[in-house]
Amino acid sequence: MKIAFIGLGNMGLAMAQNLIKAGHSLRVYNRTRSRASELQSAGAHVAATPGEAAEGVEIALTMLADDHALESVVFGDEKNAGKDGLLASLPAHAIHISCSTISVALSRRMAAAHAERRQHYVSAPVFGRPDAASAAKLFIVAAGPSAQVAKCQPLFDAMGQKTFVVGEDAPGANVIKLNGNFLITTVIESLAESFALVRKSGLDANQFLEILTSTLFNAPIYKTYGALIVADKFTPPGFKLPLGLKDNRLLLAAAEEAAVPMPMASLVRDRFLAAMAQGMGELDWSSIARISAGDAGL
């Protein structure tokens, strides 16, 4: 397929590379052009704007950091009447796949904007850290018109190990993604508190982790984040702390709109804010564990 890929950060670059390996033709755009140039030798065309990347493609895929970045790419520069944006250049009946972790409200707006231009919108956020993206082992949660999701499946297969189709309402995938990230943060917080008590009691935190992950909590999420917390190893970050705070904010906004109290999310928000205030903005989001350790006098 002829694809535009926009957003080549730690996740996006690996995803784009896997699409090229699968034989797809890519037109790529990244705000920092040097990242896009890394794919040029593999045959990708490097575009100067998101609009140029989207010209004549069947599918445009975006993997961007937040709502603001996605809005800028899709709607373009107001001074230029949006002509440099993806929305203005994507052909009718083409598909925009958004893999970004964005707000439910923006996902709803995207679906409406594309429908007005006779384009299709599929929301397909992913679960997995950069190493999973490189290995094409992401888990993809897709929602949108069933025929369009089916057309996108070869791309999902090239980037991930399993796709979960959750319905035809695109924002539904974003609700699931935000809830998934919220649950990861509750695992991080509960591990942090438990390790603080174990260490303060004079016990071996590594042994405690082995017991946990060999018995009741034999799951990748406990093994991955438990190991980071025990080792106090939060760099290089797989997912930076400010992005975790952003996702928490989006979750709380969705919960407020739906009138769903989420007190644990509010607690985690305060952990993120405390970590930011203490200069942890460049660390992995699991570095909020240092707050529990500090509260325990460790």
Side-chain angles (χ1 to χ4, degrees), residues 112-199:
H114 283 297
E116 285 181 5
R117 298 186 68 92
R118 295 185 297 127
Q119 301 160 351
H120 302 289
Y121 174 72
V122 171
S123 182
V126 304
F127 287 114
R129 289 166 70 89
D131 55 345
S134 295
K137 295 294 185 183
L138 295 170
F139 291 103
I140 299 169
V141 181
S146 56
Q148 312 312 320
V149 172
K151 185 174 180 180
C152 297
Q153 192 61 55
L155 277 61
F156 299 151
D157 291 341
M159 298 184 293
Q161 59 180 303
K162 187 169 184 177
T163 302
F164 298 89
V165 179
V166 297
E168 299 213 352
D169 185 37
N174 302 99
V175 173
I176 289 175
K177 170 61 177 177
L178 292 173
N179 271 292
N181 278 14
F182 160 65
L183 290 171
I184 293 172
T185 63
T186 64
V187 168
I188 292 170
E189 175 62 23
S190 60
L191 284 171
E193 294 177 19
S194 295
F195 284 130
L197 176 57
V198 165
R199 292 171 58 200

Side-chain angles (χ1 to χ4, degrees), residues 2-6 26-29 45-57 59-60 89:
K2 192 173 182 181
I3 300 165
F5 199 109
I6 300 170
L26 261 63
R27 298 169 65 87
V28 298
Y29 170 80
H45 170 79
V46 178
T49 66
E52 182 186 328
E55 289 175 359
V57 302
I59 295 175
S89 297

Side-chain angles (χ1 to χ4, degrees), residues 3-9 11-13 15-16 19 26-32 35-36 39 45-55 57 59-65 69-76 84-87 89-90 95-100 114 159:
I3 300 165
F5 199 109
I6 300 170
L8 300 169
M11 296 288 290
L13 182 62
M15 293 162 70
L19 290 174
L26 261 63
R27 298 169 65 87
V28 298
Y29 170 80
N30 195 65
R31 185 175 59 179
T32 304
R35 297 284 288 182
L39 296 174
H45 170 79
V46 178
T49 66
E52 182 186 328
E55 289 175 359
V57 302
I59 295 175
L61 194 153
T62 53
M63 186 60 174
L64 297 157
L70 183 59
E71 286 176 315
S72 176
V73 158
V74 172
F75 297 108
D84 56 344
L86 182 155
L87 190 68
S89 297
L90 191 67
I95 305 168
H96 171 201
I97 305 173
S98 171
C99 292
S100 310
H114 283 297
M159 298 184 293

Side-chain angles (χ1 to χ4, degrees), residues 215-283:
T215 56
L216 298 175
F217 301 99
N218 184 16
I221 200 76
Y222 284 91
K223 293 177 180 178
T224 297
Y225 287 106
L228 292 176
I229 294 168
V230 168
D232 195 47
K233 186 179 186 302
F234 305 120
T235 186
F239 191 66
K240 281 190 177 182
L241 194 147
L243 294 175
L245 176 58
K246 178 265 296 184
D247 290 354
N248 177 270
R249 187 181 302 119
L250 298 182
L251 175 89
L252 285 169
E256 181 174 344
E257 183 180 2
V260 176
M262 298 188 75
M264 281 293 293
S266 297
L267 183 151
V268 169
R269 171 185 173 274
D270 288 346
R271 292 305 208 198
F272 278 125
L273 289 175
M276 290 290 293
Q278 294 179 37
M280 301 182 202
E282 292 299 313
L283 302 182

